[in-house]
Amino acid sequence: PNIDPSTLRVIIDGIDQVEEFAVSNTHAQAELELTEGAHSIYAEISDLSPNKAVSETVQFTIDKTPPSLNLVPYDSAYLNQLHVEVVATFMDNLSGIDQNTLSIEVDQENVTQEFVISSGAASAELTLSEGWHELKATVSDLVGNTKNIEKTFIIDITAPTIETALQDQQIFSTRRPALDISIADNLSGVNKDLVKVIVNGNDETSDFNITDSAIQGISSKDFLLGINTFEIIVPDRAGNVAKLIFSLILGVAPPTVS
């Protein structure tokens, strides 16, 4: 052959790397460790005349990083509506996203066909039942790196329950009767930090011990003689609010006639 292998140059990212190559009369081969990102390569060689041949410059990208992928609702979110907007956002700064690989599941059912898919995002409004739900998504980039993500969230459209043994208009002779009120929420749970105890229009929440299941304590103020109005406000973590309004009477029960 008329090729002069000694004239071979292999230019990678502007630097001649021919010393890394095993060169024969017909080809050159090397295994190189390159960084992630964009690269370029071209080669040139001469024959014995010498005539020089220069290859086209080839641009290529090394991408070993999976795409970024995020989902809304966020993990452990509390929602108080049955119609839920689910949004997946995805991005890959190197090879780019392969949108055909996007897959979204809700409670192990593939619902990808319900989504409107655009560059970098997919969205759909889904109608779901009350309770816990599992959301999964997966997407790959153009070289096959894959990202998976899982979220759980709860739909709770039911307000908490409030129960007490006290009867509306119950008569007391003590000026500071004890309150013992049961509260509960079986889905998102009671948001005890937002519970309020309003007595005669005044916020007296700080007088009471509030847990996830009870409101207990004694008011720091004496009851008014006559009717005393209570308003118990109990939100859950999804934003549903329950209220209980009742009155207690400070006085003496009327005598019985027989």
Side-chain angles (χ1 to χ4, degrees), residues 1-8 24-26 45-49 51 53:
N2 294 323
I3 296 294
D4 183 359
S6 67
T7 65
L8 176 66
S24 70
N25 288 331
T26 58
I45 196 167
S46 299
D47 61 20
L48 298 175
S49 296
N51 299 306

Side-chain angles (χ1 to χ4, degrees), residues 14-90:
I15 300 173
D16 186 4
Q17 302 272 17
V18 72
E19 293 182 356
E20 303 293 331
F21 284 75
V23 182
S24 70
N25 288 331
T26 58
H27 68 279
Q29 182 175 337
E31 184 173 316
L32 303 176
E33 184 172 341
L34 300 178
T35 59
E36 270 196 310
H39 299 275
S40 65
I41 183 172
Y42 73 91
E44 59 182 48
I45 196 167
S46 299
D47 61 20
L48 298 175
S49 296
N51 299 306
K52 181 188 289 187
V54 180
S55 72
E56 293 183 358
T57 298
V58 175
Q59 308 288 342
F60 64 96
T61 298
I62 294 177
D63 181 1
K64 300 188 294 182
T65 302
S68 65
L69 176 60
N70 292 294
L71 284 171
V72 174
Y74 300 107
D75 197 29
S76 302
Y78 301 110
L79 308 177
N80 61 2
Q81 57 185 14
L82 299 179
H83 302 290
V84 179
E85 184 178 18
V86 178
V87 178
T89 55
F90 37 83

Side-chain angles (χ1 to χ4, degrees), residues 11 13 15-16 22 33 48 51 81 98 112 114 121 123 141 147 157 159 175 179 188 204 206 216 221 227 246 251 253:
I11 312 302
D13 299 332
I15 300 173
D16 186 4
E33 184 172 341
L48 298 175
N51 299 306
Q81 57 185 14
D98 182 356
T112 311
E114 303 290 335
S123 62
D141 60 24
K147 178 71 172 182
I157 60 172
R175 288 187 174 274
L179 289 187
S188 61
E204 298 188 11
S206 60
Q216 296 173 318
K221 297 178 182 178
I227 296 176
F246 61 94

Side-chain angles (χ1 to χ4, degrees), residues 174-192:
T174 176
R175 288 187 174 274
R176 297 184 185 182
L179 289 187
D180 189 353
I181 298 174
S182 298
I183 56 177
D185 189 277
N186 293 328
L187 289 173
S188 61
V190 167
N191 189 343
K192 65 181 181 180

Side-chain angles (χ1 to χ4, degrees), residues 118-240:
S118 61
S119 177
S123 62
E125 185 173 291
L126 306 177
T127 301
L128 303 174
S129 60
E130 200 172 28
W132 283 98
H133 297 278
E134 183 181 57
L135 180 61
K136 295 182 179 180
T138 181
V139 72
S140 301
D141 60 24
L142 292 172
V143 297
N145 300 304
T146 299
K147 178 71 172 182
N148 300 294
I149 192 169
E150 297 184 14
K151 307 283 187 181
T152 57
F153 61 95
I154 191 168
I155 295 177
D156 179 2
I157 60 172
T158 303
T161 59
I162 307 174
E163 297 180 350
T164 179
L166 296 171
Q167 298 178 2
D168 190 31
Q169 301 286 314
Q170 186 170 342
I171 297 175
F172 285 87
S173 59
T174 176
R175 288 187 174 274
R176 297 184 185 182
L179 289 187
D180 189 353
I181 298 174
S182 298
I183 56 177
D185 189 277
N186 293 328
L187 289 173
S188 61
V190 167
N191 189 343
K192 65 181 181 180
D193 293 333
L194 297 181
V195 169
K196 295 290 184 184
V197 180
I198 310 297
V199 183
N200 296 324
N202 300 312
D203 187 347
E204 298 188 11
T205 308
S206 60
D207 288 343
F208 297 89
N209 180 41
I210 300 172
T211 67
D212 292 331
S213 59
I215 302 170
Q216 296 173 318
I218 298 174
S219 174
S220 63
K221 297 178 182 178
D222 289 346
F223 277 16
L224 301 174
L225 187 63
I227 296 176
N228 294 266
T229 301
F230 287 76
E231 183 178 6
I232 310 299
I233 303 172
V234 181
D236 62 21
R237 293 188 178 94
N240 305 296

